[in-house]
Amino acid sequence: MRLSVNIDHIATLRNARNEFDPDPVEAALIAEKSGAAGIVCHLREDRRHIRDLDLERLRQAVTTKLDLEMAMTQEMQEIALKTKPELVTLVPEKREELTTEGGFDITRHYKTLAEFIKPLNDASIAVSIFIEPEQNAIDLAKKAGADIVELHTGIYSLKKTDEEREKELEKIRHAALFAKTLGLSVVAGHGLNYRNAASFSRIMQIEEVSIGHAIIARAAFTGLEAAVKEMLQLLRREA
């Protein structure tokens, strides 16, 4: 299983003093060197962590895969077409939220979504949609032109008991299997950490997980290289 590392919270820490350190680009390079298959950054409307210059520098520096998380707005589409990341992940975005709170409401926005994706496809930028692990959402993502679905694991990560987690994991497993039958690539993310991520190594249809906060938090004690390698060890599939 591949691991993409979200470096947003390196920028959060830097912005606390509005200075230069720590540098998100340096973090991205360390994550790549440590085995990450991709780097994720979310350019929010309010630029609360990653900023436009960060994105430009990341595009120049990242050699694995740059995944730009963004809202479905004209401004962000223009930035994506100019920057040309390997992947764009469309996510819902609200100014008042601390972090993304759920999957993209694809039923409500389907018509606009299909029109929004086309220029990205035409520019050879792969498109992923961050959605709930539900069959209808996956079906609409495929019809809208997505290449990838990222299954929201936030509900799973908040479950308190093994029984509750296993039930949610089974839902995610079925969703991943369905997505694969449609020819979509499948990744997963949100709220995954060193206590709950290893279970995803058992879902063969999920090719990659995206993890940010947990890795950056662990890195404060162990260093980023060790934190990335520890997560990769947890995600290693058993033969």
Side-chain angles (χ1 to χ4, degrees):
M1 175 174 282
R2 301 189 304 269
L3 170 66
S4 278
V5 176
N6 186 313
I7 46 84
D8 289 350
H9 292 300
I10 295 292
T12 300
L13 184 57
R14 175 201 61 194
N15 295 351
R17 291 288 294 269
N18 201 29
E19 295 182 351
F20 303 102
D21 297 312
D23 180 7
V25 175
E26 184 179 355
L29 295 177
I30 293 171
E32 285 189 316
K33 180 182 176 182
S34 305
I39 301 299
V40 184
C41 66
H42 185 171
L43 186 66
R44 282 181 171 266
E45 180 189 18
D46 61 9
R47 310 306 199 263
R48 69 177 64 171
H49 34 62
I50 294 296
R51 297 172 177 170
D52 295 73
L53 182 58
D54 295 326
L55 179 59
E56 293 174 20
R57 294 176 61 232
L58 284 164
R59 175 61 294 175
Q60 293 173 0
V62 169
T63 60
T64 52
K65 172 185 67 182
L66 181 61
D67 178 359
L68 172 59
E69 291 187 343
M70 66 183 207
M72 189 177 64
T73 67
Q74 186 66 35
E75 178 197 21
M76 290 301 160
Q77 185 189 66
E78 291 173 1
I79 289 172
L81 291 171
K82 178 183 177 182
T83 307
K84 294 190 182 301
E86 282 77 20
L87 175 65
V88 157
T89 298
L90 298 177
V91 299
E93 186 175 308
K94 295 182 289 186
R95 275 182 178 264
E96 65 273 15
E97 66 187 2
L98 290 176
T99 184
T100 306
E101 295 175 345
F104 190 93
D105 188 349
I106 197 166
T107 302
R108 179 182 176 187
H109 298 292
Y110 173 74
K111 184 177 180 181
T112 304
L113 177 66
E115 295 172 355
F116 187 88
I117 288 176
K118 189 176 186 306
L120 299 171
N121 287 156
D122 291 344
S124 299
I125 299 171
V127 177
S128 175
I129 307 177
F130 181 69
I131 57 174
E132 298 300 327
E134 298 168 354
Q135 185 168 318
N136 183 59
I138 295 167
D139 188 47
L140 289 176
K142 173 66 176 180
K143 290 177 180 176
D147 306 284
I148 302 166
V149 288
E150 180 174 347
L151 302 179
H152 177 221
T153 56
I155 295 174
Y156 163 82
S157 69
L158 292 173
K159 295 299 184 183
K160 303 297 184 183
T161 68
D162 291 343
E163 183 179 358
E164 290 175 327
R165 280 190 293 272
E166 191 57 39
K167 183 177 180 180
E168 188 64 24
L169 195 66
E170 189 63 20
K171 180 180 178 181
I172 293 168
R173 182 182 291 108
H174 282 297
L177 182 59
F178 177 70
K180 277 293 188 181
T181 66
L182 298 183
L184 290 163
S185 294
V186 186
V187 301
H190 198 75
L192 299 181
N193 55 47
Y194 293 89
R195 297 180 298 277
N196 61 26
S199 296
F200 285 82
S201 67
R202 306 199 308 264
I203 305 178
M204 302 305 293
Q205 292 79 19
I206 295 179
E207 303 164 23
E208 180 176 301
V209 291
S210 175
I211 304 177
H213 184 266
I215 289 175
I216 304 309
R218 180 64 61 93
F221 298 100
T222 68
L224 186 55
E225 180 177 353
V228 171
K229 288 182 176 179
E230 182 181 354
M231 182 59 75
L232 282 166
Q233 183 67 30
L234 288 172
L235 294 172
R236 185 171 295 167
R237 298 196 196 273
E238 296 180 2

Coordinates of all heavy atoms in Angstrom, one line a residue, residues 156 193-199 218 234:
Y156 N -14.9 6.2 10.4 CA -14.2 5.1 10.9 C -13.3 5.5 12.0 O -13.2 4.8 13.1 CB -13.4 4.4 9.7 CG -12.3 3.5 10.2 CD1 -12.6 2.2 10.6 CD2 -11.0 3.9 10.3 CE1 -11.6 1.3 11.0 CE2 -10.0 3.1 10.7 CZ -10.3 1.8 11.0 OH -9.3 1.0 11.5
N193 N -4.4 7.3 11.7 CA -3.3 7.6 12.5 C -2.6 6.2 12.8 O -2.8 5.2 12.2 CB -3.7 8.2 13.8 CG -4.8 7.5 14.6 OD1 -4.7 6.3 14.7 ND2 -5.9 8.1 15.0
Y194 N -1.6 6.3 13.8 CA -0.8 5.1 14.1 C -1.6 4.0 14.8 O -1.1 2.9 14.9 CB 0.4 5.5 14.9 CG 1.4 6.4 14.1 CD1 1.2 7.8 14.0 CD2 2.4 5.8 13.3 CE1 2.1 8.6 13.3 CE2 3.2 6.6 12.5 CZ 3.1 8.0 12.5 OH 3.9 8.8 11.7
R195 N -2.8 4.3 15.3 CA -3.6 3.3 16.0 C -4.6 2.6 15.1 O -5.0 1.5 15.3 CB -4.3 4.0 17.1 CG -3.4 4.6 18.2 CD -4.3 5.2 19.3 NE -5.1 6.3 18.8 CZ -4.6 7.5 18.7 NH1 -3.4 7.8 18.9 NH2 -5.4 8.5 18.2
N196 N -5.0 3.3 14.0 CA -6.1 2.7 13.2 C -5.8 2.5 11.7 O -6.6 1.9 11.0 CB -7.3 3.6 13.3 CG -7.1 5.0 12.8 OD1 -6.3 5.2 11.9 ND2 -7.9 6.0 13.3
A197 N -4.6 2.9 11.2 CA -4.4 2.8 9.8 C -4.0 1.4 9.3 O -4.3 1.1 8.1 CB -3.3 3.8 9.4
A198 N -3.4 0.6 10.2 CA -2.9 -0.7 9.7 C -4.1 -1.6 9.1 O -3.8 -2.4 8.3 CB -2.3 -1.4 10.9
S199 N -5.3 -1.4 9.6 CA -6.4 -2.2 9.1 C -6.6 -2.1 7.6 O -7.1 -3.0 7.0 CB -7.7 -1.8 9.9 OG -7.6 -2.1 11.2
R218 N 3.5 13.1 15.1 CA 4.5 12.2 15.5 C 5.9 12.7 15.2 O 6.8 12.6 16.0 CB 4.3 10.9 14.8 CG 5.3 9.8 15.2 CD 5.2 9.3 16.6 NE 3.9 8.8 17.0 CZ 3.6 7.5 16.9 NH1 4.4 6.6 16.6 NH2 2.3 7.2 17.3
L234 N 3.6 0.2 9.3 CA 2.3 -0.3 9.7 C 1.4 -0.7 8.5 O 0.6 -1.5 8.6 CB 1.6 0.9 10.4 CG 2.1 1.2 11.9 CD1 1.4 2.4 12.4 CD2 1.8 0.0 12.8

